[in-house]
Every structure is written in C-alpha cells, then in structure tokens.
Amino acid sequence: MSAPLNINAPRFWRTVERSDAIGIGRAGGLQRVALSDDDKIMRDQFVTWCKEAGYAVTVDRVGSIFARRAGEAPDLPPVVIGSHLDTQVNGGRYDGVLGVLAGLEVLRSLDDQRIKTKRAVEVVSWTNEEGARFSPPMVAAGAFAGVYPVDWVLGLKDDDGIGFGDELRRLGYDGRAPVGGRPLDAYFELHIEQGPELWERNIPVGLVTKGYAVRGTVVEVMGETAHTGPWPMDKRKNALVGAAMLAVAVNDIGWQFHASAGKATPSRLVAWPNKPGILSDWAQVTCDFRHLDPQSADQMKALMLAQLPELAKRANVEFKVVQEWVFGNERFDPACIGLLREASSRLGVPSIDMASQAGHDAYHVSKVAPTAMIFTPCRDGITHNNHEFADLERTLPGVNVLLNAVVARANRV
Amino acid sequence: MSAPLNINAPRFWRTVERSDAIGIGRAGGLQRVALSDDDKIMRDQFVTWCKEAGYAVTVDRVGSIFARRAGEAPDLPPVVIGSHLDTQVNGGRYDGVLGVLAGLEVLRSLDDQRIKTKRAVEVVSWTNEEGARFSPPMVAAGAFAGVYPVDWVLGLKDDDGIGFGDELRRLGYDGRAPVGGRPLDAYFELHIEQGPELWERNIPVGLVTKGYAVRGTVVEVMGETAHTGPWPMDKRKNALVGAAMLAVAVNDIGWQFHASAGKATPSRLVAWPNKPGILSDWAQVTCDFRHLDPQSADQMKALMLAQLPELAKRANVEFKVVQEWVFGNERFDPACIGLLREASSRLGVPSIDMASQAGHDAYHVSKVAPTAMIFTPCRDGITHNNHEFADLERTLPGVNVLLNAVVARANRV
C-alpha cells in the first residue's frame, strides 16, 4: 500500500481567499446569492480554474457546473465531488465554498502527483443550494436526482418575479447538458459542520452517517383588507395577525422539543399589503421542523397543523398549507463512509460519526448514487452569518481524507 | 335669505367615474398609490379640469395641487376645500377622491350660478395622504401645517429606496409654490365615514367634531442570523419571532379595549433576511393604537411598551422604538361646524355629530386654520378594500351642505 496523499494546502487556500473577494457582504461574510452578478463572477472564476487545468467543463440545463478529469476507462461512471458556490444573503465564506474548492484541489493534486485513475473524477458546483433567492433550496441537485422536473426549476421566480431560467440565460449559464440521467459511481461532499461539536472537541473530521429529519411547510393565511382605524376588532381578519400567531406557535413547538435537540423555525413571513393604515388580506409563513428522530419531526409538524383551527378562530382568518417538503431521511452509503474512515485512519486524522442537521446537495444525490459526506470544523458552529469562520489548519485534514477516499474509489474497476 | 344652492349632481358623478378608471386595482377598487404613474394621470386629469374651468393652478414643493377661483377681495385669505386623490394598494374608489372632486364641483357650481364670493375659494389635492408608499401618511398636509419640514418630506424613501422628491420630479409635480406659510380663512373636507354608522342609520351627513386619538409606533427588533437547522433553540435570536410576539401582543391589547371601541393594530411587519434556511437578525413592526379617549389610547400604547422587556426575554432579542406619532387630538372649529349644521338644516338634510376614527389631512390643517369635516355614507363601513362603496344618492346631500357652507364662509368679509 502506497503512502497517503496530501493536497497542495497553500494553493487550496488561495482559491478560498479568491472566493472571499467575490460578493462581499457584511464584514467577514459573503452575499453571493444564486444567479446574481457576483455568482456569475465566481462561476466564471471556477470555470477558468478548471479549464486552465485541462478539465472538460459542462453546464447542465439548471446551471450546475461539472469539471471532469478523465479516467483510464472512459466508459465507467465517474466519482464526483461537489458542493455549492452560492451563499445566503448574510452568508459566510465557507459554507459550500470549501466543498467545491476542495474538489478542485483534489483534481489538481492528482495532476501534480501524476496519478491516473480508472474512473474519471469530477467536481460539481450545484446551482442554488441555499434557496436564499429561489425557493426551495438544493434545487439543482434535486433536479439531478429526479426529485424536481427541470422545467419546474427553470420556472421558479424570486421575490421580484424574476425567473430562474431567465437569470441562467442572462448569466450565460443556461447549459445544454441534460440534468442527471447518467450513473455516478459515488458522490463525496465536504462541508463545514454548521454545528459546534468538531470545533469544541478539536476533532478535524466528522463522518456523516445520516441527516436530521426535516419537515418543511409553507402556510398561507387568508384575511381581508380594512382600515386600521375604524374597523372594529371583532370584524377584523388581519392576515398578518394570523401569521404572527402561527410564527409564535411554531417557535413554541421548537422549545417543546428542545431537550431532545429538536428545532422549529418560522423562517420567513410575508404579508400583503403590509402597509401602515390597512389590514393585510394575505400572508405566508415558512415553517421548518427538524429532529434526529423522524417520528419526532413528524410529531412537531403535526402539532403545528393541529393548532391551525384554533389559531384561525383566534385571528379570524383561514390557513392553508400550500407547500410541503421532506428531507434528511437519507442514509449515506456504508462503503463510501468506509473509504473515508479508512483514509482518516491511514492519515492519522481523528474522526467521529455525526448526523447532519442542515440540508445538503448530498441528500438528493444519495437517491441516485452511493454518497458520503465529510464535515470540517467551523468556529462555535456559527453559520449563515458573516461571523462564520473556518481555517486552513482545521480544514486541511478533511480535504486530505477526501483526496485519499476519492483515489481509492476511482481506482476501483 | 336666498334659497339653498345645489351642485350639478350628474357632472359631479362623471368626475368620480373618470377617477374610477385611473389606476384600476382589484375588481371594484383602485391601486393609485402616491406618485405612481397612475397618480400622475389622475393629477393631470384634475389639473385639466381646473384649468378648463379657468381656475389658477399652483403646485407646492411637496406636490399638493391648489386650484383657485378668485374672490372679489383678493387680499383676503381663501376658503379651502380639499382631500386626496391617492389610494391604498388595495384601495376603494371613494376614500379621498370624493372630497377633492366635491371641492371641484363646488367651484364649478359657483360658476354655473354666477355666484361671486368675497373670498377666493380653493380646492386642494394633498400629496400622499394614504402613506401607502411613503410613510408617514398625511405628509403633505402635515408639511403645509408646519408639522414636517419640507426637505424631510422630499427625502422620504419608499420600500424600494425611491425618493419622494425624485418621484415628484419624474412626474413633473415638483412645484415651486412654498408649502404653507399663508393664512387660510377656513378649511373644509368631505370624506366617506369609513365606519358603518351613517349607512346603517341611513343618515346622509356626519358632522365631525373631533378625532379618535391615535398613537403610532415603529418598533425595531434586533437579533442575529444563524442556520435554521443546527442552531439550538436556546441560542437563537430570531428577530422574526420577536416581531411576531409583538404583533400578537398588540392585537391582544386591541381586544382588551374592544368594549370601549378601542383598536390596536400591527399593520406592518418586515424582517431581514426573511428567507428559508436562515434566522432573521432584524425586523420592524408598525403598531397603531386608537381610542376615542386620549388617555385610553396612551394606556394602550403604554401596555405595549411595558411588555417589551418580557417579550425581549422570551424571544432573546432586543426591541427599540424608532418612530412615534400622535394624531387625532384635534378639535374642529365650532364656527365652521356651525356653518355646516346650518346648511344641513336649511337643506333639510339629516345629520349627526361624529368622531373620526381614521386620520385625515384636515387634522393637520386644523393646526393652522379653522377646520371642519363632513362625513358621507359608505356601505357597511368597508374601506381600504376594493369592496368600498358609495353612491351619488347618499353622497349628494353632503356635497350640497359643503357648497352652502363654503358660500356662507366665503362671502364673509
């Protein structure tokens, strides 16, 4: 058995620092939402790096970018490494970015060390993982896995009514490649933990075995406009009041499950007309329930649904669930996890098994390919925040684990 | 004493019907918010009517339009009739519109009947009464009365960051006339009641003697962004949750005062980033308290303020009152009310005394001129809603009362 491989750490971190400069948000953070002008600059930079290294770049119809380092056996399905380059509006510099740039660095390190693999190795940057501009999140990986129809994704609108497909065209990322429909040998994703455990325990690698169960809903509230002044309380149908009551109820459910690390979030509330002087006749609340135990997640959501009639009565409005989604039931692939575990061991990198609390593109990909994830430490677990922080020292072991696991997988015939 | 005068009813209603066609919103309603393209079309139509009739039109620096029918004694302060031509985003056809067009009809009727008055009679359309686009409401009448500095008004921004002054310039209504600073002999405003009493009791005229006390506040909520997934409940500072708790509390205060016809409204709630997947670190709630008794209105607001520390603790956020306003303490002028009462009596029009629950331009004008208001019936009190309804039959008596009161006042030397 040959000695374990190592990436070129300074080169890797230079790509991260270049990304830090594209789409600067609040101090320390990034505001590089999907299909924005800054997203295009980052995409162009990524494509330039890939082409300079000689990888074949393809863009699929939902804008995901694949760069391929050829293998000896071109007919075999590739090993794919990926994550996302888009961020939240108050996002950090590492969430998603580390995974794509780690993938690029793995390919470059293989070149440096003149390692040939039987299977091609690809790196992918999925479009719109965050869902910060176009809801739902992880939509391009979902389309790749056949969860969402391509035309439905292209028809998504942002809050200003601008279309996903129109923005892809505007930025020149309306690719020709079909979305999914081809076999992958395996998919690996490296990502910051987005929780405090690795950082606090000073362990560089988390091996993700499963995800927290997530139950999402969008609830619409129907009321009636009227004048803020004369309209009597007992005739009011202020949709904003109904939405606020629902938001408070959802938060309370989170507290009910706090002891078992459950979370419930009203993450978004919009109302119309939402102006001084007039009662709103429409509102919408996005509700998110998460629990390690899928039954508890179901129970949290059921508790919310069970309260709707009572809240409807209190606020004199009507509620309607207009969107629902589920993720995090996925189990990752034991063989792929085994390769990561083996690589950690050979490299002498301490690791622990973990469950992911956040959603990742890997969840969707796991439906169509053997998949595993590596978590790396982020300070205090802070994420989706400009104070998100990771450093090369704590990230490097994970990238080396990724490199060795990918080589092991890609050499396999 | 001569016979009481009457307006030209069909002509009056034709102007209302023309207004119905400008800025059509939902079926039956108007969406003609201040300084929109449709507002300009309506302004142009109003100016055209005024100029065709030979009235001198001036526009002041905040875009309010004055049309003057000259009097015999040009040095005497004029009698002014006014209201507003802008609407809410889901507004009706009559709120404000009837008052301006009644004023125009009064002037035209004086022409028809070749009535000369000692004092000039003016009709004014105030800019942005509704505050649907630029907050606060009644801002141009407020500037006229010296409540708001002109430059502050011109610097107001809408939700898209577009400036009040810029929009005035774009529409060509950035007038040269100074704002206020000249004496008015009296100000009369006709307006739909925006309550059900006149309609239900089948009384055509309400004489407004005073207003409900209004206490407005904008409360800001400061939290911290974090990931909807992993971030534990006990570390969360979701500003949206704090805002929702506040909105529910404000609504509850309204119910506490329901028996004495008090109203409390969370009318507007905005949050940032307000996206799925991330907790919001900022939110803002507009709170509105109204009561006939000013002390009760103060008490309602105080109850809200007293709850902020407890709510801040529950939601783990900080609250800050960033804007406060007061109106409705005004008492209208007994002499002007007397003229309206006398005109009603001479015309045989039944009337009752009323308090206004909504805000009106007249509130501000009453600070610098003797002022009175006429209410006319609107169906079921529905307003700020596309189902708002008034008809000529029920409106006509009020306009005739206005005509006769204005003539009486304007003839006075």
Side-chain angles (χ1 to χ4, degrees):
Chain A
M1 184 178 269
S2 54
L5 308 169
N6 287 279
I7 63 153
N8 180 332
R11 179 176 59 195
F12 166 57
W13 208 247
R14 279 198 302 274
T15 63
V16 175
E17 284 169 348
R18 170 68 186 130
S19 162
D20 291 352
I22 300 173
I24 291 172
R26 293 190 190 168
L30 291 178
Q31 180 163 20
R32 193 166 69 209
V33 296
L35 307 187
S36 62
D37 292 354
D38 286 322
D39 186 27
K40 176 184 160 59
I41 296 172
M42 186 67 227
R43 284 165 173 264
D44 289 350
Q45 173 65 79
F46 175 62
V47 167
T48 299
W49 281 329
C50 292
K51 287 188 171 166
E52 282 172 358
Y55 311 135
V57 173
T58 55
V59 178
D60 74 11
R61 289 186 58 216
V62 295
S64 295
I65 306 168
F66 296 80
R68 181 180 177 104
R69 181 176 186 269
E72 299 290 288
D75 294 341
L76 292 178
V79 173
V80 179
I81 311 165
S83 197
H84 59 94
L85 293 170
D86 69 317
T87 77
Q88 290 281 339
V89 293
N90 185 26
R93 296 166 158 187
Y94 311 99
D95 175 351
V97 174
L98 288 190
V100 176
L101 299 181
L104 171 63
E105 179 53 38
V106 165
L107 267 61
R108 286 173 158 183
S109 295
L110 294 179
D111 289 343
D112 291 347
Q113 300 171 43
R114 300 176 190 229
I115 293 172
K116 292 184 176 175
T117 56
K118 291 258 162 36
R119 296 177 180 280
V121 181
E122 296 184 13
V123 53
V124 54
S125 175
W126 305 104
T127 301
N128 189 46
E129 192 270 349
E130 293 291 1
R133 181 172 175 203
F134 296 96
S135 185
M138 307 175 292
V139 77
F144 187 89
V147 174
Y148 304 119
V150 170
D151 288 338
W152 181 85
V153 174
L154 297 176
L156 292 173
K157 306 278 183 206
D158 73 4
D159 285 350
D160 296 321
I162 300 173
F164 192 105
D166 295 335
E167 285 295 84
L168 278 178
R169 258 191 304 283
R170 182 177 74 85
L171 303 183
Y173 279 90
D174 52 332
R176 302 283 173 86
V179 178
R182 61 181 177 118
L184 309 187
D185 177 62
Y187 176 74
F188 291 95
E189 181 165 353
L190 177 146
H191 204 283
I192 56 168
E193 176 195 346
Q194 306 189 287
E197 197 171 347
L198 295 176
W199 186 277
E200 281 171 6
R201 295 174 61 184
N202 200 24
I203 295 172
V205 163
L207 302 176
V208 184
T209 55
K210 59 183 175 178
Y212 267 55
V214 179
R215 305 291 179 261
T217 57
V218 176
V219 181
E220 213 166 79
V221 194
M222 276 80 64
E224 210 169 278
T225 65
H227 196 299
T228 296
W231 206 233
M233 295 303 294
D234 58 358
K235 285 190 178 172
R236 292 182 173 217
K237 300 179 177 185
N238 188 346
L240 178 53
V241 168
M245 286 178 180
L246 176 59
V248 173
V250 167
N251 187 63
D252 286 346
I253 292 169
W255 279 102
Q256 274 182 259
F257 286 79
H258 175 53
S260 55
K263 285 102 185 174
T265 315
S267 58
R268 175 175 163 84
L269 189 163
V270 285
W272 194 89
N274 200 34
K275 295 285 184 186
I278 187 166
L279 310 183
S280 287
D281 67 2
W282 179 90
Q284 207 182 56
V285 186
T286 304
C287 311
D288 187 293
F289 304 96
R290 304 197 185 199
H291 204 285
L292 186 55
D293 166 34
Q295 284 184 317
S296 297
D298 287 334
Q299 201 188 337
M300 295 170 87
K301 182 178 162 189
L303 277 172
M304 182 273 284
L305 294 175
Q307 283 182 60
L308 291 182
E310 164 67 19
L311 297 177
K313 211 175 138 190
R314 263 180 72 200
N316 199 16
V317 296
E318 287 172 43
F319 291 104
K320 189 174 155 193
V321 174
V322 292
Q323 213 184 319
E324 294 183 272
W325 62 90
V326 163
F327 63 79
N329 291 344
E330 295 73 13
R331 290 287 176 277
F332 289 143
D333 180 68
C336 290
I337 298 171
L339 289 175
L340 293 173
R341 200 183 304 280
E342 204 179 298
S344 300
S345 158
R346 286 183 62 213
L347 286 157
V349 169
S351 73
I352 51 171
D353 287 5
M354 309 191 77
S356 172
Q357 304 199 52
H360 296 290
D361 293 311
Y363 285 20
H364 283 314
V365 183
S366 75
K367 290 162 189 146
V368 292
T371 293
M373 286 191 77
I374 300 173
F375 274 172
T376 56
C378 61
R379 189 174 59 201
D380 301 330
I382 292 169
T383 182
H384 287 196
N385 185 303
N386 52 310
H387 298 300
E388 182 182 280
F389 179 78
D391 58 22
L392 175 59
E393 186 196 354
R394 290 174 180 83
T395 306
L396 183 57
V399 186
N400 282 327
V401 167
L402 177 69
L403 168 63
N404 286 278
V406 164
V407 168
R409 183 84 186 186
N411 273 324
R412 223 174 43 110
V413 184
Chain B
M1 186 177 270
S2 54
L5 307 169
N6 286 280
I7 64 153
N8 180 333
R11 180 177 58 195
F12 166 56
W13 208 247
R14 279 198 301 275
T15 64
V16 175
E17 284 168 348
R18 170 70 185 127
S19 162
D20 291 351
I22 300 173
I24 291 173
R26 292 191 192 168
L30 291 177
Q31 179 164 18
R32 194 166 70 207
V33 297
L35 308 186
S36 63
D37 293 352
D38 286 322
D39 187 27
K40 175 184 162 56
I41 296 172
M42 186 67 229
R43 286 167 171 264
D44 290 350
Q45 173 63 82
F46 176 63
V47 167
T48 299
W49 281 328
C50 293
K51 288 189 171 166
E52 281 173 359
Y55 311 136
V57 173
T58 56
V59 178
D60 74 11
R61 288 186 58 216
V62 294
S64 296
I65 306 167
F66 295 80
R68 181 180 176 103
R69 182 179 185 267
E72 300 289 288
D75 293 341
L76 291 180
V79 174
V80 179
I81 311 164
S83 198
H84 59 94
L85 293 170
D86 69 318
T87 77
Q88 290 281 339
V89 292
N90 184 27
R93 296 165 158 186
Y94 310 100
D95 173 352
V97 174
L98 288 189
V100 176
L101 299 180
L104 171 63
E105 179 53 38
V106 165
L107 268 61
R108 287 171 158 185
S109 294
L110 294 178
D111 288 343
D112 290 348
Q113 301 172 40
R114 296 171 193 238
I115 293 173
K116 292 185 174 173
T117 56
K118 290 254 163 41
R119 296 176 182 280
V121 181
E122 296 184 13
V123 54
V124 54
S125 174
W126 304 104
T127 301
N128 188 46
E129 191 270 350
E130 293 291 0
R133 182 173 173 200
F134 296 97
S135 185
M138 307 176 291
V139 78
F144 187 91
V147 174
Y148 304 119
V150 171
D151 288 337
W152 181 83
V153 174
L154 296 176
L156 292 173
K157 305 279 183 208
D158 73 4
D159 285 348
D160 296 321
I162 301 173
F164 192 104
D166 296 333
E167 285 294 85
L168 278 177
R169 257 192 303 284
R170 181 177 74 86
L171 302 182
Y173 279 90
D174 51 331
R176 302 282 173 86
V179 178
R182 61 181 176 118
L184 309 187
D185 177 62
Y187 176 73
F188 292 95
E189 182 164 352
L190 176 144
H191 204 283
I192 56 167
E193 177 197 345
Q194 307 189 285
E197 199 171 347
L198 295 176
W199 186 276
E200 281 170 7
R201 296 176 59 186
N202 200 24
I203 294 171
V205 163
L207 302 176
V208 184
T209 55
K210 59 182 175 178
Y212 267 56
V214 179
R215 305 292 178 260
T217 56
V218 175
V219 181
E220 213 166 78
V221 194
M222 277 79 65
E224 210 169 276
T225 65
H227 196 299
T228 296
W231 206 233
M233 295 302 296
D234 59 358
K235 285 190 178 172
R236 291 181 174 217
K237 301 179 175 185
N238 188 345
L240 177 52
V241 168
M245 287 178 179
L246 176 59
V248 173
V250 167
N251 186 64
D252 286 348
I253 291 169
W255 279 102
Q256 274 181 259
F257 287 77
H258 175 53
S260 55
K263 284 102 185 172
T265 314
S267 58
R268 177 175 159 84
L269 189 164
V270 285
W272 193 91
N274 200 35
K275 296 284 183 186
I278 188 166
L279 310 182
S280 287
D281 68 2
W282 179 90
Q284 209 183 53
V285 186
T286 305
C287 311
D288 187 294
F289 305 95
R290 303 197 185 199
H291 204 285
L292 186 56
D293 165 34
Q295 283 185 317
S296 297
D298 287 336
Q299 202 188 336
M300 293 170 89
K301 182 177 162 188
L303 277 172
M304 183 272 284
L305 294 175
Q307 284 183 57
L308 291 182
E310 164 68 17
L311 296 178
K313 211 174 138 192
R314 261 180 75 200
N316 200 16
V317 297
E318 286 171 42
F319 290 104
K320 189 175 157 194
V321 174
V322 292
Q323 212 183 321
E324 293 182 275
W325 60 92
V326 163
F327 63 80
N329 292 345
E330 295 73 14
R331 290 288 175 274
F332 289 143
D333 180 68
C336 290
I337 297 170
L339 289 175
L340 293 174
R341 203 185 301 281
E342 204 178 298
S344 299
S345 158
R346 289 184 58 215
L347 286 157
V349 170
S351 74
I352 52 172
D353 287 5
M354 309 190 76
S356 171
Q357 303 199 52
H360 295 289
D361 293 311
Y363 284 20
H364 283 314
V365 183
S366 75
K367 290 161 189 146
V368 292
T371 293
M373 286 191 77
I374 300 173
F375 274 173
T376 56
C378 60
R379 189 175 60 201
D380 301 330
I382 292 170
T383 183
H384 288 195
N385 184 304
N386 51 311
H387 298 300
E388 182 182 279
F389 179 77
D391 59 22
L392 175 57
E393 185 197 354
R394 291 174 180 82
T395 306
L396 183 58
V399 186
N400 282 327
V401 167
L402 177 68
L403 168 64
N404 286 277
V406 163
V407 168
R409 183 85 187 187
N411 272 327
R412 225 174 40 110
V413 183

